[in-house]
Amino acid sequence: MSLTQHLSTSLASSSSTFLTSSSIGPRRDVSFPSRNLGICRCVATQEEKTTYKTSVSRNANMAKLQAGYLFPEIGRRRNAHLQKYPDSKVISLGIGDTTEPIPDVITNAMAKRAQALSTLEGYSGYGPEQGEKPLRAAIASTFYGDLGIEEDDIFVSDGAKCDISRLQVLFGSNVTMAVQDPSYPAYVDSSVIIGQTGLYQKDMERFENIEYMRCNPENGFFPDLSKVSRTDIIFFCSPNNPTGSAATREQLTKLVQFAKDNGSILIYDSAYAMYISDDKPRSIFEIPGAKEVAIETASFSKYAGFTGVRLGWTVISKELLFSDGFSVAKDFNRIVSTCFNGASNVIQAGGLACLSSEGRNAMKSVVGFYKENADIIMNTFNSLGFNVYGGADAPYVWVHFPGRSSWDVFGEILEKTHVVTTPGSGFGPGGEGFVRVSAFGHRENVLEACRRFKQLYK
């Protein structure tokens, strides 16, 4: 019997009383024989879905990380804003990504090397993990010519950010570390992942077991070293990302002596050295004694527009030794040889072109363009009465919004001007109350963004 037939039969035999009427007689109630009406239930049987899980435990350190990495989180909020305002012209002055084309002298060299790979004479497979000899020699002579750094002290890589993580692998989880506060988030996050830190302290907005060296306007964005505890590793970036401040020779001399007094190793990030406009040191190795305590990381990203191309280098002198006398460079060489097959040979050809006479002039032109953008942004916020830092020696302008949440300011600027910036607290607790504005942008976009800033804060 079908479901329909079953229901019809049940209804016909129910004990319900129906009210009927007739055109030829009085209205009367008609009763039907009583019978219980069963309830029909349609039950869909579903098998419970089970998710297969391996027996491998998650790296507990990953769970310590807070939210997402800063710049993907900014990208997520930017995309949400575009969904809310699909017709808005969003201008990005947030993430430090270059925007201007790579100079022809550099791309022509890469194209020539790529074409040569199609010939028997020009083909090459694996290269040295440390980088090709001509490029290492050119880096040593161009940036460290009279500083006692030799070509075999240079390790060519796919960028300074990648080398930061390789250095963390080199030192392992049993070291202590210090960072500028605020600082580039990769230093802290890589330290957390490798297991050097404790838990995140929400009330203090910092991780346990990291020494945060506060850098603010009151101390000229250079930490008071008399208040800094001893750590094994010290990360230091100059010109600094995000504050844009470049350390003086006197300050770096104190920093090197501080590292030597404490038996520490200083990892010096010089990714923005070409932006320095006066006689401040462009390399830590300009400071006497630095070769005994320092490692330097550097990059072509912000000089030649290589943010997507990926090419950088790390310098480790033979004079830098572990406590047992073993060479730090030898261990790093083992890390590189184990974890890395070397930078692309095509890209290394571009790096070599960067260091030719024509290439250096082209990079100076690119850097000069972004420094002009920084001047425009600085002048805009100065005219609006803000306290503004950075910009002169770096492609970042550090704007103070005292007493305000930096994420709130970020949201206000995005909502009312459709301009993406970077909240200062994303760089550490010392960045609260500040917003970083990047000078990387097309000139017309920088001018338009500044026009919108003036409308918002006039």
Side-chain angles (χ1 to χ4, degrees):
M1 180 182 293
S2 70
L3 179 61
T4 303
Q5 291 171 326
H6 176 74
L7 288 173
S8 298
T9 303
S10 298
L11 287 171
S13 60
S14 75
S15 59
S16 300
T17 299
F18 291 85
L19 186 65
T20 65
S21 64
S22 170
S23 60
I24 59 173
R27 187 178 69 182
R28 63 188 185 276
D29 293 336
V30 180
S31 295
F32 293 90
S34 177
R35 182 178 175 180
N36 291 332
L37 178 63
I39 299 175
C40 177
R41 298 180 183 271
C42 297
V43 179
T45 303
Q46 293 183 349
E47 295 183 2
E48 291 186 8
K49 293 183 178 179
T50 58
T51 302
Y52 175 78
K53 296 181 292 185
T54 71
S55 300
V56 180
S57 300
R58 183 188 182 199
N59 177 357
N61 297 310
M62 297 298 296
K64 298 177 185 177
L65 294 171
Q66 297 301 294
Y69 186 66
L70 173 63
F71 300 113
E73 174 62 18
I74 290 172
R76 186 191 67 78
R77 297 192 186 206
R78 176 184 182 275
N79 292 337
H81 181 80
L82 280 170
Q83 288 186 341
K84 184 178 180 181
Y85 301 103
D87 297 327
S88 64
K89 182 184 177 184
V90 173
I91 297 173
S92 181
L93 301 180
I95 185 172
D97 193 3
T98 52
T99 58
E100 302 311 294
I102 297 173
D104 287 345
V105 61
I106 300 169
T107 54
N108 288 341
M110 290 191 284
K112 184 177 179 181
R113 182 68 178 270
Q115 287 294 331
L117 292 173
S118 296
T119 68
L120 286 173
E121 298 79 11
Y123 177 76
S124 60
Y126 290 124
E129 293 89 350
Q130 304 79 9
E132 296 179 348
K133 184 179 178 66
L135 178 56
R136 298 171 79 190
I139 291 171
S141 62
T142 301
F143 296 106
Y144 311 100
D146 57 352
L147 301 179
I149 297 297
E150 301 173 351
E151 66 183 63
D152 58 355
D153 297 327
I154 309 289
F155 295 83
V156 176
S157 72
D158 51 349
K161 184 177 182 180
C162 300
D163 275 346
I164 288 166
S165 293
R166 293 186 188 106
L167 288 167
Q168 295 284 28
V169 172
L170 169 70
F171 294 117
S173 60
N174 293 325
V175 297
T176 55
M177 66 163 286
V179 295
Q180 289 158 289
D181 179 28
S183 68
Y184 182 45
Y187 309 143
V188 170
D189 281 8
S190 61
S191 177
V192 173
I193 291 169
I194 205 71
Q196 297 168 357
T197 74
L199 297 175
Y200 185 73
Q201 300 170 302
K202 289 187 177 181
D203 57 333
M204 301 179 68
E205 298 182 328
R206 63 179 65 192
F207 284 94
E208 296 172 336
N209 302 337
I210 290 183
E211 178 72 15
Y212 289 80
M213 305 184 297
R214 182 59 61 91
C215 298
N216 52 35
E218 289 70 34
N219 60 23
F221 295 102
F222 187 82
D224 182 349
L225 297 177
S226 67
K227 298 179 180 179
V228 174
S229 298
R230 188 261 171 205
T231 60
D232 297 312
I233 309 298
I234 303 169
F235 276 96
F236 195 90
C237 179
S238 180
N240 179 262
N241 175 16
T243 67
S245 176
T248 65
R249 192 171 302 276
E250 180 183 6
Q251 288 171 333
L252 291 180
T253 299
K254 291 179 180 177
L255 183 62
V256 167
Q257 189 59 51
F258 177 78
K260 187 166 289 189
D261 291 343
N262 286 286
S264 306
I265 292 178
L266 172 65
I267 300 176
Y268 187 82
D269 186 342
S270 65
Y272 302 95
M274 280 189 69
Y275 286 80
I276 293 175
S277 54
D278 53 23
D279 63 350
K280 297 185 185 77
R282 288 167 172 77
S283 168
I284 193 62
F285 298 116
E286 294 180 40
I287 307 302
K291 287 188 289 184
E292 298 174 346
V293 296
I295 293 170
E296 182 164 300
T297 63
S299 172
F300 287 101
S301 286
K302 309 301 166 55
Y303 304 163
F306 272 27
T307 51
V309 173
R310 310 305 306 152
L311 191 68
W313 68 92
T314 288
V315 186
I316 307 180
S317 168
K318 301 174 189 64
E319 296 178 36
L320 182 62
L321 305 176
F322 286 113
S323 59
D324 63 358
F326 196 82
S327 165
V328 174
K330 286 185 177 179
D331 267 2
F332 189 66
N333 184 67
R334 181 61 183 269
I335 293 291
V336 168
S337 299
T338 301
C339 304
F340 186 51
N341 270 333
S344 160
N345 47 24
V346 172
I347 306 311
Q348 290 189 70
L352 194 58
C354 287
L355 303 181
S356 67
S357 177
E358 186 180 355
R360 290 198 300 271
N361 289 333
M363 289 195 298
K364 289 177 182 176
S365 178
V366 171
V367 168
F369 175 84
Y370 291 128
K371 284 171 67 71
E372 289 174 1
N373 281 352
D375 285 339
I376 293 169
I377 297 168
M378 287 172 58
N379 291 337
T380 296
F381 280 102
N382 278 323
S383 72
L384 293 168
F386 289 91
N387 288 325
V388 184
Y389 307 95
D393 294 315
Y396 301 120
V397 178
W398 192 238
V399 187
H400 197 195
F401 291 81
R404 297 195 60 189
S405 158
S406 56
W407 274 110
D408 286 349
V409 176
F410 165 87
E412 175 182 80
I413 293 174
L414 181 58
E415 180 75 17
K416 296 182 179 180
T417 71
H418 308 300
V419 177
V420 179
T421 57
T422 306
S425 61
F427 299 97
E432 186 58 276
F434 291 85
V435 164
R436 191 194 77 175
V437 185
S438 168
F440 294 118
H442 302 310
R443 181 61 50 81
E444 62 270 21
N445 286 345
V446 170
L447 292 171
E448 172 60 20
C450 288
R451 185 188 68 80
R452 297 179 193 179
F453 293 149
K454 288 178 180 178
Q455 284 186 328
L456 177 60
Y457 294 115
K458 62 184 177 181

